[in-house]
Amino acid sequence: MLIITGMPGSGKDEFVKVAKSMGFIDAHMGNAVKKNALKNNISLDDKSVGAYATAERKKYGMDIWAKRTAELITNPDITIVDGLRNEEELDYFKNNFHNIIVIAVFANETDRLERILARDREDDSHDYSGMHQRDNRELSWGIGKVISLADYMIVNDSTLEEYHKNVNILLKHIISRHPEINLQSGH
């Protein structure tokens, strides 16, 4: 199982697009948060979703989103989990699945804000202040620690095409070193 982490706007979704094109199955932790937020009539703006995610962590434990995402995983060997935010989530995955590979995506602050503004998602920040608030929230959850514990780091500091090419190279390298990843095994 591949697990992706990185700050908002770093390029995790684009990493997942490349992985899916190679045959990986996406289990997006953010989708689990949004799905549960909608069930509880929470607005999907950044501040509301962030507050809800934090409240659920306080109520059910820091690994609650890993547990809820794990329910969606049907073939761990070819699953890519997007959105790891803390060490407790990482520990949950390591204790419940085999062959966990963590990949951190890094991009500088300016590039991240440009990408966030360009994608224009409902739950995104719209300026440096909002991005810093979100960054600080995610850092308070422990994302910095899991980034530092990653098995691989990829820097997203060029064009989208170049980044996709670099992701493809990294994924082929990982697949070559991990025979349990059999993308021909089907979904």
Side-chain angles (χ1 to χ4, degrees), residues 4 10 16 25 57 69 87 120 127 129 136 144 148 157 175:
I4 306 300
S10 61
V16 169
I25 303 167
R57 284 183 171 102
T69 302
E87 196 172 9
D120 195 33
D127 56 28
S129 175
N136 288 333
S148 74
D157 65 353
I175 291 166

Side-chain angles (χ1 to χ4, degrees), residues 5-8 12 83-87 135 137-149:
T5 190
M7 297 302 287
K12 297 181 299 293
L84 184 73
R85 296 293 193 270
N86 62 55
E87 196 172 9
D135 285 355
R137 181 178 66 233
E138 295 199 11
L139 288 165
S140 77
W141 293 336
I143 196 168
K145 178 94 185 243
V146 293
I147 289 171
S148 74
L149 295 172

Side-chain angles (χ1 to χ4, degrees), residues 46 113 124-137:
D46 176 57
L113 182 61
D124 271 335
S125 314
H126 299 289
D127 56 28
Y128 273 113
S129 175
M131 186 176 79
H132 288 154
Q133 288 174 0
R134 184 169 177 186
D135 285 355
N136 288 333
R137 181 178 66 233

